[in-house]
Amino acid sequence: MLPAASPGGGRRRWTTGEASPSEKRPRDPEDSEPGSSDDDDSGSGSDGDFVSDLREIVCLLRLIKGGANKDGQKKCAQIITSVAEDIQTMLEDTKLKFEKERQNLLKVLSNTSKECESSLSKEYIKFQETYEMFCKEKDEHVQAFRDLFSKVEVEKRTLLEQYENHSE
């Protein structure tokens, strides 16, 4: 486990009674970098080992993070591809349903149109028959009116002649 950073600096200062990480675990000469020595009187060698270990840990963490990011990107790409395929499937299903509904609507409209056309034809025939009957009856009534008017005119003349004969 990494030591916690102190608020004033990057490294934690060890209090008396605590052992630094390099003191807790003795270093093997194979683990140490060439050129570093553990025999320094100042203790800078152990600090160098500690810094080297931290650098190695940070480097490994970066590698792990990079791998995780790549795995995450691959998973995201797979999820996006899967969702895109699902959306495409749903879109195609919707198109098929829409086309079926459109075909059904066209059939219904066609049938309704034929029924309306048939009904209009029947009503037009009835209208034509009624119109012809009206025209025939109108002609008969007009003729009857003319005949009656002629009779009235004849009667009127006759009455006028009688009046004139009586008045003389």
Side-chain angles (χ1 to χ4, degrees):
M1 180 169 176
L2 294 176
S6 65
R11 278 195 253 166
R12 179 177 171 192
R13 301 192 195 271
W14 306 105
T15 60
T16 53
E18 283 187 23
S20 70
S22 60
E23 293 173 349
K24 289 182 180 176
R25 181 178 63 95
R27 307 265 321 164
D28 290 332
E30 299 164 358
D31 289 345
S32 64
E33 294 179 4
S36 69
S37 81
D38 291 336
D39 300 334
D40 281 351
D41 292 335
S42 65
S44 65
S46 64
D47 281 348
D49 289 341
F50 179 69
V51 169
S52 171
D53 288 346
L54 285 178
R55 284 185 184 150
E56 189 176 333
I57 290 170
V58 167
C59 189
L60 290 172
L61 286 173
R62 284 184 182 149
L63 287 173
I64 291 170
K65 181 180 177 185
N69 284 342
K70 288 180 184 176
D71 288 345
Q73 288 174 350
K74 286 180 185 176
K75 286 181 182 177
C76 285
Q78 289 173 346
I79 289 170
I80 289 170
T81 302
S82 173
V83 168
E85 289 172 357
D86 289 346
I87 289 172
Q88 188 66 30
T89 302
M90 289 169 38
L91 183 62
E92 289 172 5
D93 289 346
T94 304
K95 282 181 181 179
L96 288 175
K97 287 179 184 176
F98 178 75
E99 186 60 27
K100 279 184 179 179
E101 289 296 321
R102 190 179 75 80
Q103 292 295 331
N104 288 338
L105 183 61
L106 283 175
K107 286 178 185 176
V108 168
L109 286 174
S110 177
N111 290 340
T112 304
S113 174
K114 287 177 183 175
E115 289 174 8
C116 286
E117 188 176 327
S118 174
S119 178
L120 279 173
S121 294
K122 290 176 184 176
E123 291 300 317
Y124 182 73
I125 290 170
K126 287 180 184 177
F127 170 76
Q128 283 294 93
E129 290 172 355
T130 304
Y131 179 74
E132 289 172 5
M133 187 170 55
F134 170 77
C135 288
K136 182 181 173 186
E137 288 179 5
K138 178 187 128 192
D139 290 342
E140 289 173 2
H141 287 295
V142 167
Q143 187 60 39
F145 176 75
R146 285 183 183 154
D147 291 344
L148 183 64
F149 191 73
S150 294
K151 286 180 185 177
V152 168
E153 284 293 318
V154 169
E155 285 291 321
K156 178 179 141 186
R157 282 189 202 135
T158 310
L159 285 174
L160 274 175
E161 285 176 9
Q162 284 178 1
Y163 176 72
E164 286 176 1
N165 288 336
H166 283 286
S167 17
E168 297 180 6

